[in-house]
Amino acid sequence: MKHIVFFLFLSLCSFSIHAATIADVQFDESIKLPDIDQPLVLNGLGIRYKFFFKIYIAALYLSEKNQQASAIVTDPGPKRIVMHFLYDDVSVRKLVDAWNEGFANNLSASQFEKLKPRIERFNAQFERVTTGDVVTLDYVPGEGTLVTIKGHRKAVIPGADFNAALLDIWLGGEPVDEELKEALLGVSDD
């Protein structure tokens, strides 16, 4: 009997080590990107609110945990942002407007102008999303940012500079949501 209780205890402990749950959605503590040897670890996750509506859960995966936004953004290693949508309907227009606002809030006019063709290509990949849809944004060094929507690989947007600008939407000086930024950095629970 003691052995059964002990194994049940170990099973419960291992469950909490291998997954994190927020808003009834489970995220793995580590993931593997294709063609990348080193697994990525969950740095943090939180919910993006707009007014009082839950829009999506964001999760940030890195080579190793880091609570310094600037170090994460400039790190040349692989990264993943996961957006698991909670809101029942987000139009393409709302997505594109939100991306453009996030880029504009965190880039100088000259940086925005330099990235504009890639931002437009990025925006062109999006489609309407609903509850349960997932967007992943994987940065693969030497290739760029792989955009995957609803499990379909859409495009690779080249450049570490583009990925840094994208991450700044959540981690920059003017993040989309300050509480979400702290949650992604792993410095607070959302």
Side-chain angles (χ1 to χ4, degrees):
M1 182 67 175
K2 286 181 184 178
H3 293 298
I4 292 172
V5 171
F6 178 73
F7 284 113
L8 284 173
F9 174 76
L10 283 180
S11 296
L12 289 173
C13 288
S14 81
F15 173 76
S16 64
I17 291 170
H18 297 294
T21 302
I22 185 169
D24 295 327
V25 179
Q26 192 172 39
F27 292 85
D28 292 332
E29 286 290 338
S30 67
I31 59 163
K32 183 107 172 54
L33 295 183
D35 302 323
I36 301 289
D37 292 334
Q38 180 181 8
L40 301 182
V41 295
L42 180 63
N43 197 67
L45 71 158
I47 297 176
R48 164 67 171 122
Y49 290 91
K50 182 121 183 180
F51 306 112
F52 54 88
F53 297 106
K54 293 178 181 180
I55 306 301
Y56 60 82
I57 302 166
L60 174 62
Y61 289 88
L62 306 170
S63 297
E64 60 185 38
K65 289 189 180 236
N66 191 329
Q67 294 184 338
Q68 300 299 316
S70 60
I72 293 168
V73 170
T74 58
D75 180 3
K79 304 167 188 79
R80 172 178 276 184
I81 286 277
V82 177
M83 300 169 67
H84 181 102
F85 282 84
L86 301 172
Y87 197 70
D88 60 351
D89 188 14
V90 182
S91 70
V92 174
R93 187 70 179 144
K94 286 183 182 178
L95 285 168
V96 169
D97 287 348
W99 291 125
N100 287 338
E101 182 179 342
F103 284 120
N105 287 344
N106 288 285
L107 294 171
S108 68
S110 63
Q111 289 171 317
F112 188 89
E113 206 50 43
K114 178 183 173 193
L115 292 174
K116 190 173 181 178
R118 287 180 279 165
I119 291 171
E120 289 173 352
R121 183 168 175 222
F122 175 77
N123 286 338
Q125 307 312 309
F126 285 87
E127 57 191 76
R128 177 180 162 263
V129 292
T130 60
T131 305
D133 288 341
V134 176
V135 172
T136 58
L137 305 167
D138 294 333
Y139 178 67
V140 178
E143 289 184 40
T145 303
L146 170 61
V147 180
T148 304
I149 301 173
K150 303 179 193 178
H152 301 286
R153 181 182 171 145
K154 301 291 247 174
V156 176
I157 311 301
D161 57 345
F162 175 81
N163 188 260
L166 182 62
L167 287 174
D168 271 342
I169 291 173
W170 294 281
L171 304 178
E174 296 291 329
V176 66
D177 182 315
E178 192 66 46
E179 289 179 19
L180 179 57
K181 175 181 177 176
E182 290 180 8
L184 292 173
L185 292 174
V187 296
S188 75
D189 294 328
D190 192 318

